[in-house]
Amino acid sequence: MKALFNGTIKEFKKTTKSNLQFNKWKVFEMNIEDRYDCVQDNSYVNKLHEIAKSNNIKYDECETISWLDSQSIMLKVINKMEKFDYDNLLNNMRIIQEFHIPFTNKRADYLLVYENKIIIVEFSYNKFDNEDYHYNIKLNQLIGYKELISNILSNDIDIATFTFLIHPEDVNENSNQEQIENFVEYIKFFMKKKSISAYEELDKLIY
């Protein structure tokens, strides 16, 4: 499996939190090149680049910063989940970053994997000029990824998607909080969803 990271939630948290002090990392609304200049010599960034090269994952300055920003968001999601008892959900979930979809040149930002369920997650930056436009672009991209992945997995695998539009945190450090809370609830709902009859579900619908 080709990916930038593939491991348990605990391993992901330990790696990201310790290597770049993500407690202090924020998403800044500034030029990507300037943000990259601040971290390009960081040992953790160099390590990410080495992993990427060994897995034939292409990257540039923008890609590198997006990895770090999304990791910081994912860390906050994990911290939020840890405050509640989710039936050991975190202890049994795996996280895969920059998953290379076999037989394609496509990569999904993240896969959250639990039992027979997968959530494909795509991150993008909120653009205040047209938020719906950027959300829909990512949503359509996710639909394509879901189709590609579902075609090469067993029919017993349940796949969902989630789009996260990142807001700058330099002015308001809680600008992503509502989305994080929604994401946490979504993970909890989908991962703990029991397998039931599709027809029974349709029959319950109220018109």
Side-chain angles (χ1 to χ4, degrees):
M1 182 188 301
K2 294 182 179 180
L4 190 66
F5 179 90
N6 177 12
T8 65
I9 295 293
K10 183 180 293 186
E11 290 169 341
F12 178 84
K13 180 176 180 179
K14 180 180 179 180
T15 300
T16 55
K17 188 175 182 180
S18 62
N19 278 296
L20 202 58
Q21 297 181 327
F22 276 122
N23 283 332
K24 299 179 181 179
W25 182 268
K26 291 183 180 179
V27 181
F28 283 89
E29 189 173 17
M30 61 186 289
N31 186 280
I32 289 292
E33 288 76 14
D34 291 337
R35 295 187 70 199
Y36 181 77
D37 286 342
C38 297
V39 298
Q40 63 176 327
D41 296 324
N42 183 276
S43 60
Y44 178 52
V45 171
N46 292 331
K47 181 179 179 181
L48 288 177
H49 287 167
E50 290 175 5
I51 296 172
K53 289 177 182 177
S54 66
N55 285 277
N56 294 319
I57 296 175
K58 296 181 180 180
Y59 62 87
D60 54 22
E61 296 177 350
C62 182
E63 194 82 45
T64 301
I65 293 300
S66 70
W67 292 345
L68 302 179
D69 285 342
S70 65
Q71 285 182 352
S72 71
I73 295 294
M74 289 303 304
L75 183 58
K76 291 174 183 177
V77 169
I78 293 168
N79 289 338
K80 190 77 174 177
M81 292 185 71
E82 286 179 338
K83 295 180 180 180
F84 306 95
D85 180 12
Y86 281 150
D87 300 321
N88 291 318
L89 186 60
L90 286 177
N91 292 333
N92 296 287
M93 190 188 305
R94 295 187 69 86
I95 183 169
I96 305 170
Q97 184 179 7
E98 291 297 315
F99 171 74
H100 175 255
I101 302 174
F103 312 113
T104 76
N105 61 353
K106 307 296 182 182
R107 301 198 311 264
D109 286 352
Y110 287 86
L111 299 187
L112 298 181
V113 186
Y114 176 76
E115 295 182 345
N116 72 320
K117 297 180 177 66
I118 298 173
I119 299 178
I120 310 172
V121 186
E122 278 293 311
F123 285 90
S124 186
Y125 293 96
N126 177 57
K127 304 295 184 181
F128 297 104
D129 55 339
N130 196 335
E131 182 173 345
D132 288 339
Y133 172 76
H134 294 281
Y135 181 88
N136 289 332
I137 285 180
K138 276 297 176 181
L139 182 60
N140 288 329
Q141 187 178 45
L142 272 170
I143 293 172
Y145 289 172
K146 179 179 179 180
E147 178 73 11
L148 290 170
I149 294 174
S150 65
N151 285 341
I152 56 176
L153 295 179
S154 166
N155 291 333
D156 295 328
I157 305 302
D158 197 3
I159 302 177
T161 64
F162 192 89
T163 303
F164 196 113
L165 291 184
I166 302 175
H167 292 72
E169 299 172 322
D170 45 337
V171 176
N172 178 9
E173 63 180 13
N174 295 316
S175 60
N176 291 303
Q177 194 58 39
E178 183 177 354
Q179 276 194 97
I180 289 171
E181 292 175 357
N182 288 338
F183 190 21
V184 167
E185 289 301 313
Y186 183 81
I187 294 171
K188 175 187 174 184
F189 176 83
F190 178 75
M191 294 305 197
K192 302 305 292 185
K193 184 179 65 172
K194 295 181 180 179
S195 298
I196 58 176
S197 166
Y199 180 78
E200 289 179 2
E201 282 291 286
L202 291 170
D203 198 40
K204 291 178 183 177
L205 295 176
I206 301 174
Y207 291 94

